Amino acid sequence: MEVFKIRVRIKGHLKNTEEREYFEIDVIGIKNKNKITYNENNIKNTIYINNDELILIRENDEFKNILNFIENKKTVTSYLLKESNTEIELNIKTESLLISDNSIEIVYMIIETDNIYEYKIEVSDY
């Protein structure tokens, strides 16, 4: 079975609602069935979608962050600092998770800091 990789435009943002931080996303990426990959600010982002669960892996030379989102559930995220080989576990609660063919919207809270984040991307033809 041949797997098709489609180049797509990805637009969106990551917003920290508590600290008023806002990072805009406007890149070209690859969509492949239930996987989306893109590079943004020297960070490789890989999204895996599996039914009502989404896994976001953010990685560069300094760190690897694995976030697991399930709506209305608490999950543990792994944040690895590569240079010191130190792993930090943070608890997150997914407030909302909306997945469609062309968009993803996640609102989640890092429990240890009470910071709420909004991650939203729209995927379109390139």
Side-chain angles (χ1 to χ4, degrees), residues 55-97:
I55 298 169
L56 171 61
I57 301 171
R58 305 183 76 232
E59 182 173 18
N60 64 16
D61 292 338
E62 299 170 9
F63 71 88
K64 182 174 185 177
N65 185 204
I66 302 171
L67 299 125
N68 187 357
F69 300 104
I70 304 169
E71 190 167 35
N72 295 317
K73 299 278 185 186
K74 291 181 184 176
T75 56
V76 176
T77 181
S78 168
Y79 193 93
L80 174 65
L81 299 170
K82 292 181 177 182
E83 185 175 21
S84 63
N85 197 29
T86 302
E87 186 172 359
I88 300 166
E89 289 187 350
L90 296 171
N91 294 288
I92 60 173
K93 177 157 189 319
T94 306
E95 303 291 336
S96 68
L97 175 61

Side-chain angles (χ1 to χ4, degrees), residues 5-49:
K5 294 181 180 180
I6 301 170
R7 287 174 57 94
V8 292
R9 174 168 294 282
I10 299 168
K11 293 183 86 166
H13 65 264
L14 174 63
K15 178 170 63 172
N16 177 333
T17 59
E18 305 301 311
E19 297 177 6
R20 302 208 186 340
E21 293 178 318
Y22 184 88
F23 303 99
E24 189 169 327
I25 302 165
D26 188 358
V27 296
I28 303 302
I30 303 289
K31 185 175 181 181
N32 177 354
K33 284 195 165 201
N34 66 338
K35 179 180 171 184
I36 300 169
T37 308
Y38 67 92
N39 288 310
E40 167 258 330
N41 290 333
N42 295 320
I43 299 171
K44 180 181 179 184
N45 292 267
T46 306
I47 299 168
Y48 296 96
I49 301 167

Side-chain angles (χ1 to χ4, degrees), residues 114-125:
D114 284 334
N115 282 346
I116 296 174
Y117 291 85
E118 177 184 85
Y119 175 76
K120 183 177 182 176
I121 61 170
E122 293 182 4
V123 180
S124 59
D125 294 339

